[in-house]
């Protein structure tokens, strides 16, 4: 897995989808290498107007996953490398307790996948513990579908950075931007299922941690130290307990309230 994919796969947060179109992986099919990418694509359909596209990893191409309605496809960040029979992706809303919780640093309990049978005559979409039958789209029909479609980037722009709570059950979720936006932060506070985004006024970051100033108070978050964090309102400090993000992803995505009704752009959006 590349560093870019590892960063994105650690956690996801939605931002409004940018009106930015992507070139398809095969570009204009002017080069043999690009035509081979299109030839290698595998498309599976659920019979309800949803399609998942696997483009295998090769020495010439990193591999891709896409999901969409056949007219527009959204980029899905793979976990690991895709091949002609399987594509895996981070999906924190669906949890599989039987999966390996730490295989080479990846928690596969929050990883879902699309898998083709050995004879490539059937597909299965697995979202956590749910397995849903899919049907492969014939090669020529798939190529025609993919040529006519438009492509867009993943809607994922932020990832959970820290989760804290006080002794009254009020949660404080800090989100951090991905990639070039990694200096952008957002804060949501509230009780489970009722968190609200706070208006950010200022961010101070240094070797000792971060101070996030909002209209509701200053959250002092100390990174990589055993010192406590605080929510400060009018000089009064409310001590906060750190809640491990990696161990609580299903809670963050399904119960906290930030993502209620949101689409992550993955094949499990319509399950």
């Amino acid at each position: 897995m590349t560093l870019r994919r590892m960063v994105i796969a650690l956690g996801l947060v939605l931002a409004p989808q940018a009106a930015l179109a992507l070139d398809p992986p095969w570009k204009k099919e002017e080069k043999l290498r690009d035509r081979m990418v299109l030839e290698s694509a595998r498309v599976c359909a659920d019979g309800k107007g949803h399609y998942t596209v696997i483009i295998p990893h090769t020495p010439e191409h990193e591999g891709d996953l896409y999901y969409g309605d056949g007219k527009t496809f959204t980029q899905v960040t793979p976990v690991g490398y895709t091949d002609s029979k399987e594509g895996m992706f981070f999906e924190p809303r669906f949890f599989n307790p039987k999966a390996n919780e730490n295989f080479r640093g990846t928690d596969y309990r929050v990883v879902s996948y699309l898998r083709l049978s050995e004879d490539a005559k059937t597909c299965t979409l697995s979202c956590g513990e749910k397995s849903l039958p899919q049907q492969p789209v014939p090669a020529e029909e798939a190529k025609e579908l993919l040529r006519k479609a438009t492509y867009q980037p993943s809607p994922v722009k932020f990832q959970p950075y820290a989760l804290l709570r006080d002794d009254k059950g009020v949660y404080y979720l800090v989100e951090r931007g991905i990639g070039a936006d990694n200096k952008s932060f957002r804060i949501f506070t509230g009780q489970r299922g009722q968190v609200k985004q706070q208006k950010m006024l200022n961010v101070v970051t240094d070797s000792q941690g971060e101070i996030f100033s909002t209209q509701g108070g200053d959250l002092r978050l100390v990174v990589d130290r055993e010192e406590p964090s605080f929510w400060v309102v009018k000089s009064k400090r409310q001590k906060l307990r750190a809640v491990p993000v990696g161990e609580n992803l299903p809670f963050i995505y399904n119960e906290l309230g930030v993502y209620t009704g949101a689409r992550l752009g993955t094949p499990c959006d319509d399950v």
Side-chain angles (χ1 to χ4, degrees):
M1 192 187 309
T2 64
L3 179 59
R4 175 179 66 86
R5 287 180 172 177
M6 289 176 66
V7 170
I8 295 174
L10 288 175
L12 312 173
V13 177
L14 286 182
Q17 176 66 54
L20 175 67
L22 294 176
D23 290 331
W26 42 88
K27 301 176 184 178
K28 296 181 180 180
E29 300 180 60
E30 294 175 345
K31 298 180 180 180
L32 175 61
R33 178 177 59 187
D34 296 332
R35 293 195 294 272
M36 291 175 65
V37 171
L38 179 59
E39 288 287 340
S40 71
R42 301 290 182 267
V43 181
C44 292
D46 67 355
K48 300 177 181 179
H50 308 122
Y51 301 85
T52 303
V53 183
I54 297 178
I55 301 174
H57 166 82
T58 67
E60 293 78 26
H61 186 76
E62 192 173 19
D64 290 286
L65 277 174
Y66 289 89
Y67 177 68
D69 60 5
K71 297 179 179 179
T72 302
F73 285 101
T74 299
Q75 195 174 41
V76 182
T77 301
V79 171
Y81 291 123
T82 58
D83 60 35
S84 61
K85 294 292 191 296
E86 183 179 69
M88 295 181 291
F89 53 93
F90 179 75
E91 184 40 271
R93 297 169 298 182
F94 292 85
F95 186 75
N96 182 3
K98 298 178 182 179
N100 195 329
E101 64 182 84
N102 186 3
F103 180 71
R104 297 178 180 176
T106 298
D107 185 352
Y108 281 87
R109 297 176 300 176
V110 288
V111 171
S112 294
Y113 59 86
L114 180 77
R115 182 174 293 158
L116 279 76
S117 61
E118 285 300 319
D119 59 8
K121 292 184 177 180
T122 62
C123 310
T124 300
L125 172 64
S126 291
C127 297
E129 295 184 283
K130 295 183 177 181
S131 293
L132 305 164
Q134 312 269 295
Q135 284 299 318
V137 177
E140 292 304 315
E141 181 181 338
K143 284 192 289 186
E144 188 68 16
L145 181 80
L146 295 174
R147 284 190 177 110
K148 292 180 178 179
T150 57
Y151 299 82
Q152 64 185 17
S154 168
V156 176
K157 304 301 178 186
F158 285 80
Q159 61 186 5
Y161 181 62
L163 180 64
L164 308 106
R165 65 169 171 81
D166 63 19
D167 57 6
K168 296 181 181 179
V170 176
Y171 285 90
Y172 301 78
L173 176 68
V174 182
E175 304 172 342
R176 186 173 188 170
I178 292 172
D181 295 323
N182 65 358
K183 294 184 180 179
S184 299
F185 293 90
R186 302 194 302 186
I187 290 181
F188 294 79
T189 68
Q191 294 188 327
R192 182 174 65 180
Q194 301 176 0
V195 295
K196 303 295 183 182
Q197 185 175 355
Q198 300 295 312
K199 184 177 181 180
M200 193 78 73
L201 300 179
N202 190 32
V203 178
V204 176
T205 179
D206 55 32
S207 61
Q208 296 301 304
E210 289 83 30
I211 302 174
F212 304 101
S213 298
T214 72
Q215 286 187 333
D218 291 341
L219 173 62
R220 182 169 184 267
L221 177 63
V222 180
V223 180
D224 292 333
R225 293 182 180 272
E226 295 182 357
E227 301 174 30
S229 298
F230 295 93
W231 181 251
V232 183
V233 180
K234 295 181 179 180
S235 299
K236 294 183 179 180
R237 291 188 173 191
Q238 171 67 55
K239 185 177 178 180
L240 303 178
R241 179 185 295 274
V243 181
V245 169
E247 298 174 18
N248 291 276
L249 289 171
F251 169 76
I252 292 173
Y253 282 87
N254 294 323
E255 300 183 46
L256 201 55
V258 177
Y259 309 98
T260 302
R263 296 176 65 85
L264 299 183
T266 80
C268 297
D269 271 350
D270 297 295
V271 172

